[in-house]
Amino acid sequence: MKLMNLRYTLSILCLGIVAMAASGCGDATSPPQVVPPDTAHYVATFDLKTMAGAAPFVLDSVMTTESGVQYKPSALRFYVSQFSLLDSAGNPVEATLVDTAGIPLKYNLTFCDYVNPETQIIRFLARKGTYTGATFSVGVPSDPVDGKGLNHVDASQQTYPLNVDNDMYWGWNPGYIFFKIEGLAMVNKSWESFYYHVGNDGRLASIRLATPFTVKGAGRAATMLVNTNRLFVTPSGGAFPNPGGALSDRVVNNGRLADTVAMNLAKSGCITLQP
Amino acid sequence: MRYGRYYLAALALAMLMAACSAAVDTPAPPLVTIPKGFPVLPVPPGNQLTAARIALGKKLFYDKQLSRTGEVACGSCHLQERAFADPNRFSIGVEGRTGSRNAPSLANMAYNSSYFWDGGVPTLEQQAIAPIINPLEMNMTLGEATARVAAVPEYVTMFRNAYDTLPSPGTLTRAIASFVRTLVSGESRFDKFDRGDSSAMTVQEQHGMTIFFGEKGECFHCHIGFNFSNNTFKNDGFLGKSIDSGRTKVTENPADMGKFKVPTLRNIALTAPYMHDGSLATLEEVVEHYVTLNHAHPNLDPVMHPLNLTEQDRADLIAFLKTLTDESFIKDPRFRP
């Protein structure tokens, strides 16, 4: 009984000493409060906005190219890959593309299909801060993936958006259509079909958008403006290709015209950023 | 008499044992029969051949439900009695649609390094995709094809046995590739002759063989090796009846304009019509092309020149080509529906 009382007394004493010590320290040497940097990654977005020059882009509606050719698009679809943000020094820092749930996308690749609003937002992980721009490629890279070039893998083994049935795959020459726009164009006062299907490794369109934007947290960081009219203008200002021209000018999946569309995509201001 | 009964009983027992023994010892047919002199069958690591995969692939190969309208199967155009080629100039797809190239024989496809006349497809597994989704052929999506077979309990069991999974686009195409990979042909009269049976070919056929492999015919420059193809792409001066850029369609290299894959000549007597567009109906017309060679083309292969063949030479050469028919291949029950 005596022993228990002694232990109880000692415990009270110890608590008192600890409390006094803690109180004393707080009064004498309290350091200034430091807020740790926010190193968290947020799901930031580039929200796509598609235009045909100054006019809103609307499927099956009449658009007019800068050279005056009328066209009615019925599809606008493309892959985005090799996505990086530009740091304050302008150096690319790879950023992870994610889905609506914030889960990283396979191969760090996403797909934009105008008819699917869910695909009109590019989601990526980024820390808060100001960036000097972004870089990415329109297309499917040929980087080695599991020992094969991703652009040439067996598409029957792939899931959306790289599956065969996504209608972006060439069965006769296995590889993906990186970018496609198709529809009708006015040719000699008659609506005729046109399509530009751009693919093959050499036509991966590398795009660098040096427009500063700020990631303030989750949500929109910038608007990605897609101007389809600039597809038909070369970097030097030429009206080429011509969707209202001869069949060989408006039905394209390879050759010089496909090269030109890929070049226009990359260098004619088809895709820009707006903070 | 008494011993006679014992004798008969012992004889009956021996016959029964022999019968049982025979039944037990009879080996299952091999998955693939590799002819003597052929290389080891190339099989990709991700799709090893098994009996279950081949059986599934064969069922899919002959299943018209893989086409959108249910009209066409792989086997509708690749007929076994034609060495898995199509007697039509252009194969007939759904709703009577036709393309612009002749369907080749599927014999010995496993040994090819590329597929289609322009060689655009590098593997049998990827090749299986193209006819299914081609609007002019089966005009189907892989998703719908998979859904159709997944609705059939027998298929579900077969996919489980073959790939330990439910039907999927990837297993569907791999199964078809597995079956096609087994279509090996190398038991023709020429092969028998080549292995030492001098009676397997007539004197005329032997003379034709001399032309084929000699400087008179020069066929061997391209049609060489166990499969009578060097697996390259050549412009042999045959332009066909319509414009076809050939290999250029894949490579986008103007130097490949008008080049097409060198086809095997095995079973050539069965695979008419001939050339990439099927516009030559007979072997006589084919030989006539190489004799006249009146189509100038900047990409004409350097070995090509008009052949100096007499009427007898032509007949003998054709007689030799007919020795490349493999009767056992076109009757093999393993390949039937």
Side-chain angles (χ1 to χ4, degrees):
Chain A
M1 188 65 182
K2 281 184 178 177
L3 187 60
M4 283 186 67
N5 283 340
L6 180 63
R7 282 182 181 166
Y8 179 75
T9 305
L10 283 172
S11 297
I12 295 296
L13 277 172
C14 286
L15 281 173
I17 292 166
V18 168
M20 286 167 65
S23 171
C25 287
D27 285 341
T29 58
S30 179
Q33 279 215 328
V34 176
V35 178
D38 185 355
T39 57
H41 284 80
Y42 295 88
V43 178
T45 66
F46 287 162
D47 298 358
L48 267 65
K49 181 181 178 184
T50 307
M51 305 287 286
F57 179 92
V58 181
L59 291 183
D60 302 317
S61 294
V62 178
M63 316 279 144
T64 305
T65 68
E66 293 181 13
S67 61
V69 176
Q70 290 185 311
Y71 65 106
K72 291 195 287 189
S74 58
L76 176 66
R77 328 176 84 213
F78 55 91
Y79 291 101
V80 170
S81 61
Q82 299 180 326
F83 188 83
S84 292
L85 303 180
L86 299 179
D87 64 16
S88 57
N91 297 316
V93 180
E94 187 176 6
T96 301
L97 294 168
V98 297
D99 64 13
T100 53
I103 297 170
L105 292 168
K106 197 173 182 183
Y107 308 123
N108 210 28
L109 172 144
T110 193
F111 178 64
C112 301
D113 182 357
Y114 184 78
V115 298
N116 184 355
E118 198 172 274
T119 68
Q120 295 300 291
I121 299 174
I122 295 175
R123 301 172 177 84
F124 54 94
L125 297 179
R127 290 175 174 155
K128 286 181 179 176
T130 297
Y131 297 86
T132 58
T135 67
F136 57 92
S137 297
V138 172
V140 178
S142 59
D143 293 346
V145 175
D146 298 328
K148 294 179 178 176
L150 179 58
N151 187 28
H152 306 291
V153 293
D154 181 348
S156 70
Q157 312 284 334
Q158 298 295 318
T159 55
Y160 176 87
L162 292 171
N163 57 323
V164 173
D165 293 343
N166 193 33
D167 199 24
M168 294 290 282
Y169 173 77
W170 281 317
W172 51 273
N173 181 20
Y176 291 95
I177 299 170
F178 298 163
F179 174 95
K180 75 159 62 167
I181 184 170
E182 55 192 40
L184 300 174
M186 186 61 77
V187 182
N188 296 328
K189 299 180 180 178
S190 170
W191 288 108
E192 304 288 346
S193 62
F194 79 92
Y195 68 75
Y196 295 99
H197 293 179
V198 179
N200 276 341
D201 297 338
R203 301 195 181 96
L204 193 72
S206 297
I207 296 174
R208 184 182 179 95
L209 303 177
T211 302
F213 64 91
T214 301
V215 173
K216 298 171 183 170
R220 177 189 166 282
T223 296
M224 183 178 280
L225 180 65
V226 179
N227 181 354
T228 55
N229 276 3
R230 298 301 293 174
L231 289 167
F232 310 116
V233 181
T234 65
S236 60
F240 189 70
N242 178 11
L247 188 66
S248 58
D249 287 330
R250 52 190 165 83
V251 177
V252 170
N253 57 29
N254 59 25
R256 188 169 67 97
L257 282 177
D259 290 342
T260 304
V261 176
M263 180 179 68
N264 295 352
L265 251 175
K267 298 179 178 175
S268 289
C270 289
I271 301 179
T272 54
L273 274 186
Q274 293 179 337
Chain B
M1 185 68 182
R2 193 175 60 185
Y3 290 115
R5 281 182 189 161
Y6 286 134
Y7 176 77
L8 284 174
L11 184 63
L13 183 62
M15 288 171 68
L16 184 64
M17 288 175 67
C20 290
S21 173
V24 169
D25 289 342
T26 300
L31 297 181
V32 188
T33 306
I34 306 299
K36 191 177 179 183
F38 273 39
V40 173
L41 194 75
V43 179
N47 196 21
Q48 291 296 305
L49 282 179
T50 68
R53 291 175 180 182
I54 296 166
L56 172 60
K58 182 167 81 169
K59 186 173 176 62
L60 292 165
F61 183 88
Y62 287 110
D63 192 342
K64 294 181 178 179
Q65 288 307 305
L66 293 193
S67 64
R68 181 177 57 79
T69 60
E71 294 172 279
V72 182
C74 309
S76 302
C77 304
H78 295 285
L79 308 178
Q80 184 178 7
E81 64 268 27
R82 295 291 192 137
F84 292 96
D86 191 342
N88 294 307
R89 182 184 174 198
F90 300 132
S91 295
I92 300 171
V94 297
E95 297 165 339
R97 301 175 189 179
T98 55
S100 58
R101 291 177 180 169
N102 180 248
S105 165
L106 299 185
N108 301 327
M109 282 284 160
Y111 294 99
N112 283 9
S113 53
S114 63
Y115 299 91
F116 296 124
W117 281 102
D118 53 28
V121 179
T123 70
L124 266 181
E125 281 70 15
Q126 288 170 292
Q127 187 281 330
I129 299 171
I132 297 175
I133 66 171
N134 189 330
L136 301 179
E137 297 183 48
M138 299 165 89
N139 193 31
M140 190 64 152
T141 65
L142 282 187
E144 175 61 17
T146 303
R148 286 188 187 179
V149 299
V152 180
E154 184 187 1
Y155 265 126
V156 173
T157 302
M158 293 181 80
F159 272 88
R160 185 74 71 190
N161 292 339
Y163 292 102
D164 196 24
T165 183
L166 291 170
S168 68
T171 48
L172 185 146
T173 53
R174 279 193 283 165
I176 293 173
S178 293
F179 173 62
V180 174
R181 193 164 276 123
T182 68
L183 302 178
V184 176
S185 172
E187 298 296 342
S188 65
R189 286 197 292 117
F190 162 77
D191 295 297
K192 292 181 175 66
F193 181 86
D194 195 42
R195 293 170 198 153
D197 180 359
S198 58
S199 67
M201 284 170 53
T202 66
V203 172
Q204 181 190 23
E205 291 161 349
Q206 291 179 46
H207 182 237
M209 181 175 69
T210 303
I211 294 170
F212 186 95
F213 287 112
E215 295 304 323
K216 202 165 189 180
E218 299 197 82
C219 314
F220 69 92
H221 289 297
C222 301
H223 298 286
I224 195 167
F226 73 97
N227 200 31
F228 288 83
S229 169
N230 60 5
N231 258 318
T232 62
F233 301 89
K234 300 287 187 184
N235 182 324
D236 66 356
F238 185 79
L239 301 182
K241 291 188 175 176
S242 59
I243 296 173
D244 190 328
S245 57
R247 178 78 172 152
T248 294
K249 187 178 178 187
V250 172
T251 65
E252 301 188 27
N253 183 352
D256 288 332
M257 185 69 76
K259 291 183 180 177
F260 294 91
K261 188 175 185 64
V262 175
T264 179
L265 295 187
R266 288 193 171 275
N267 302 295
I268 193 69
L270 303 173
T271 63
Y274 303 106
M275 314 307 266
H276 65 270
D277 69 346
S279 61
L280 299 186
T282 65
L283 287 174
E284 285 75 10
E285 289 179 30
V286 175
V287 173
E288 176 66 20
H289 162 69
Y290 291 114
V291 168
T292 55
L293 200 68
N294 55 8
H295 297 297
H297 193 286
N299 291 341
L300 185 68
D301 197 85
V303 303
M304 299 302 302
H305 60 81
L307 298 179
N308 183 20
L309 299 180
T310 66
E311 288 299 319
Q312 187 60 50
D313 290 337
R314 299 183 196 194
D316 294 352
L317 179 58
I318 291 169
F320 166 68
L321 292 173
K322 290 179 179 176
T323 71
L324 300 178
T325 297
D326 179 352
E327 295 290 342
S328 65
F329 179 64
I330 61 174
K331 294 173 183 170
D332 194 323
R334 292 174 299 178
F335 307 148
R336 290 182 198 146

